[in-house]
Amino acid sequence: MDCRRCGTPLERPGDYCLVCDTANCDAVVVAFERDRAELTMLDGEEIVGKTTLTTVPEDDPETETVELRNFAGRVADDIRRKRPETVFAAGNRAVLRETRAQLHHEFYRVAADDPVERVLERRGERSLEVVETPPREKLGGSHSTLIGGRNGRQAIGVVADHPHVKKIVPGPIDAGGMGSQTGLRAKVTRADDNGNVRLLLRDGSSVQENRIVTTAMDRESGEFVRDDLNEALTEAELRDE
């Protein structure tokens, strides 16, 4: 692939051109498997290139940790070469999580069945506003108590950290539910017509429904935010299936 501006040959598809200081893609979609990662570079709604990176997973737990970190590092390095505005990812959570930890780009999860097609569908719609408010300042409302102690605060923090969440309004606590020995579990409900969702926290016999105000403009775009939030809760091992 050559640079779209000056024609300089690029070492890899979608690389940032250092000759004329030009980006040749604005997004990277990564489909992770444990032994491979397929990167698809997008410029608007056009696919400009693909790259596949592979690894051989180790059987020994100690060497596997190093191998996983190194594989994620190779994926992260390839993404940095592109200097994209956004990174979308799907697939194996262990590799995804380690790669994201090594990057400072905007990073969004998408459906694993056909992540490139999912991203292209979303890019054709009006983009959701990104909220710059710090996560700790998104919590408000008349009820300040959260159930679940540290895990409850962690679940709220996961939700508050999402760039399309504007505000979290904790609800009253209902202690009349059935008891559970699984500890705190969290789940984001289906979006309403305005694109807002609710975070259900369950801890033993207590249940708390927290209102989540998002930047989504309708139910469909709100469902994108819900999927992201539930994926994040799953990664934090707090998700209530």
Side-chain angles (χ1 to χ4, degrees):
M1 177 179 177
D2 296 338
C3 174
R4 62 180 179 176
R5 181 177 181 183
C6 70
T8 298
L10 302 175
E11 184 176 342
R12 299 180 188 175
D15 277 1
Y16 189 91
C17 182
L18 299 177
V19 175
C20 66
D21 199 28
T22 298
N24 285 284
C25 73
D26 61 8
V28 176
V29 184
V30 190
F32 287 104
E33 296 180 30
R34 181 56 188 87
D35 61 349
R36 63 191 288 117
E38 183 173 283
L39 287 72
T40 301
M41 280 58 74
L42 304 178
D43 182 27
E45 297 179 44
E46 177 187 359
I47 297 175
V48 298
K50 293 187 176 183
T51 300
T52 300
L53 302 174
T54 61
T55 185
V56 178
E58 297 284 349
D59 294 329
D60 180 78
E62 292 186 7
T63 54
E64 181 187 22
T65 299
V66 176
E67 174 268 323
L68 175 62
R69 185 182 305 118
N70 290 341
F71 178 46
R74 288 172 55 209
V75 178
D77 285 344
D78 206 75
I79 292 172
R80 290 191 195 96
R81 297 172 61 96
K82 323 301 180 192
R83 301 189 189 180
E85 298 173 5
T86 312
V87 179
F88 299 93
N92 185 279
R93 290 196 181 96
V95 190
L96 189 158
R97 185 163 45 240
E98 181 61 36
T99 304
R100 184 177 61 181
Q102 299 187 37
L103 289 170
H104 298 288
H105 297 80
E106 291 185 27
F107 210 103
Y108 297 100
R109 287 165 296 277
V110 291
D113 51 352
D114 192 344
V116 175
E117 184 63 28
R118 179 71 179 270
V119 170
L120 290 174
E121 288 176 357
R122 293 175 64 169
R123 301 201 105 195
E125 301 174 355
R126 181 158 63 93
S127 299
L128 298 183
E129 176 190 354
V130 173
V131 179
E132 304 293 345
T133 305
R136 64 181 179 278
E137 296 180 12
K138 294 181 180 180
L139 190 63
S142 58
H143 298 277
S144 59
T145 303
L146 298 171
I147 66 173
R150 177 185 298 177
N151 286 342
R153 293 191 296 273
Q154 181 185 359
I156 289 291
V158 167
V159 172
D161 196 45
H162 194 280
H164 301 322
V165 168
K166 297 167 65 176
K167 188 175 183 180
I168 304 171
V169 183
I173 298 172
D174 181 359
M178 296 180 61
S180 171
Q181 303 300 317
T182 59
L184 182 123
R185 309 305 294 166
K187 181 178 182 179
V188 179
T189 65
R190 291 185 63 83
D192 62 22
D193 291 340
N194 296 318
N196 298 320
V197 296
R198 295 184 182 274
L199 171 66
L200 296 181
L201 298 179
R202 302 178 185 273
D203 185 35
S205 62
S206 298
V207 180
Q208 186 175 26
E209 185 176 281
N210 306 281
R211 181 167 172 259
I212 312 299
V213 182
T214 78
T215 60
M217 70 292 294
D218 52 31
R219 184 186 299 275
E220 186 175 4
S221 54
E223 284 297 292
F224 290 141
V225 178
R226 179 183 78 114
D227 290 344
D228 283 348
L229 293 176
N230 276 328
E231 275 292 320
L233 290 170
T234 298
E235 288 187 9
E237 299 182 350
L238 295 169
R239 173 80 181 278
D240 181 1
E241 301 293 345

